[in-house]
Amino acid sequence: MVPLLKFLSRTGSPLMMNLYPYYVFMQNKGVVPLDNSLFKPLTPTKEMVDPNTLLHYTNVLDAMIDAAYFSMKNLNVTDVVVLVTESGWPSKGDSKEPYATVDNADTYNSNLIKHVFDRSGSPLHPEVTSSVYIYELFNEDLRAPPVSEANWGLFHGNSTPVYLLHVSGSGTFLANDTTNQTYCVAMDEVDGKMLQTALDWACGPGRANCSEIQPGETCYQPNNVKNHASYAFDSYYQKSGRASGSCDFKGVAMITTTDPSKYFFLLV
């Protein structure tokens, strides 16, 4: 490590590390509380205290980053910053991975983003905020067991979100809380008859507002079943308060953060 760290110091390069509080928690259950791993607000009595420095830690990631800084200092390297090249939380696991859930993954990554944008650094180096790359964008369906290995993504392989990040108030990241900007649209490459059946249900028993996709109305064009279905699906989804399960239509619909109305307005 010493030659590597000297090279990083000489070239002004960061030490790139993959840091996973999930694994720290799973390997130290009963010692490391879940709330500390997920960046949840803590009372002072629940903060981790380093007995050597008496620094207080409210989350596991900062403790891991500072552990790297202390280790480098012990090797007389003090000018290399830590770059977190991977960090995340799995959204699904097997029976031995009960904490790999959608709620925990959403909580971890949403709070991670807020923590980075707070620019508060770590207890040892409050003046330095490490950049972090979230692992990962897509689930990897073909990964070998355990189940969690295939489920670290923000999106499924078909581009639908696994969950929606809650990042309101975090500067310009994603503009606003994505939860307030979701829509329901027809999926690509879906059988036309299945789409038509779902469209008929949405405009009939589903009581979606389909008046604007009738002949001669504002959103009739482009006149095809996919665009009409997207309009009807989103009408039903919004009317249902974007409730869980209200954007499925037997597997032909998906949630998106792109406003489907733009496809209609372009041609009006």
Side-chain angles (χ1 to χ4, degrees):
M1 286 297 295
V2 173
L4 171 62
L5 292 173
K6 287 184 176 179
F7 171 79
L8 296 179
S9 174
R10 187 170 66 251
T11 58
S13 302
L15 174 64
M16 297 184 287
M17 304 186 72
N18 299 344
L19 302 180
Y20 288 97
Y22 170 75
Y23 290 125
V24 174
F25 168 73
M26 290 295 291
Q27 294 165 11
N28 298 275
K29 283 183 289 186
V31 177
V32 177
L34 180 63
D35 286 354
N36 296 65
S37 304
L38 296 175
F39 295 94
K40 287 189 174 181
L42 301 173
T43 61
T45 57
K46 288 188 176 182
E47 294 178 356
M48 299 174 288
V49 180
D50 184 332
N52 297 306
T53 64
L54 299 183
L55 291 173
H56 286 237
Y57 288 85
T58 59
N59 66 83
V60 174
L61 184 67
D62 280 351
M64 298 176 80
I65 291 172
D66 278 359
Y69 281 125
F70 273 111
S71 297
M72 287 191 287
K73 185 177 180 180
N74 288 336
L75 296 175
N76 297 315
V77 177
T78 58
D79 59 351
V80 173
V81 300
V82 173
L83 171 63
V84 182
T85 41
E86 288 185 13
S87 193
W89 197 282
S91 61
K92 185 179 180 181
D94 57 31
S95 59
K96 296 180 180 180
E97 304 171 298
Y99 298 95
T101 66
V102 167
D103 284 345
N104 284 345
D106 182 3
T107 298
Y108 179 81
N109 282 323
S110 295
N111 286 342
L112 170 62
I113 292 168
K114 293 175 184 176
H115 183 63
V116 172
F117 272 78
D118 281 345
R119 311 300 297 176
S120 55
S122 66
L124 181 63
H125 286 296
E127 77 284 1
V128 179
T129 297
S130 294
S131 294
V132 180
Y133 289 84
I134 292 178
Y135 184 84
E136 58 186 331
L137 189 59
F138 291 99
N139 282 341
E140 299 182 68
D141 300 346
L142 302 182
R143 287 291 294 269
V147 173
S148 63
E149 285 297 304
N151 291 279
W152 290 81
L154 301 178
F155 293 86
H156 296 289
N158 63 5
S159 298
T160 60
V162 178
Y163 51 88
L164 298 170
L165 294 169
H166 294 73
V167 294
S168 182
S170 297
T172 58
F173 184 86
L174 295 184
N176 288 299
D177 188 336
T178 56
T179 308
N180 294 325
Q181 301 179 27
T182 57
Y183 309 91
C184 182
V185 298
M187 295 177 65
D188 293 328
E189 300 178 5
V190 173
D191 180 74
K193 290 183 179 179
M194 294 177 64
L195 268 184
Q196 186 63 57
T197 299
L199 172 60
D200 292 342
W201 184 89
C203 293
R207 305 185 70 177
N209 181 6
C210 299
S211 59
E212 293 299 314
I213 54 175
Q214 302 306 310
E217 296 300 329
T218 306
C219 294
Y220 180 68
Q221 298 292 344
N223 178 23
N224 61 63
V225 66
K226 181 178 184 295
N227 284 283
H228 287 184
S230 291
Y231 186 98
F233 292 170
D234 190 58
S235 172
Y236 178 82
Y237 177 63
Q238 302 300 334
K239 180 175 71 74
S240 302
R242 300 190 291 273
S244 175
S246 61
C247 182
D248 181 66
F249 297 95
K250 295 189 175 181
V252 299
M254 68 178 189
I255 295 173
T256 179
T257 56
T258 301
D259 186 349
S261 64
K262 75 175 188 177
Y263 299 114
F264 297 94
F265 295 152
L266 286 173
L267 296 175
V268 171

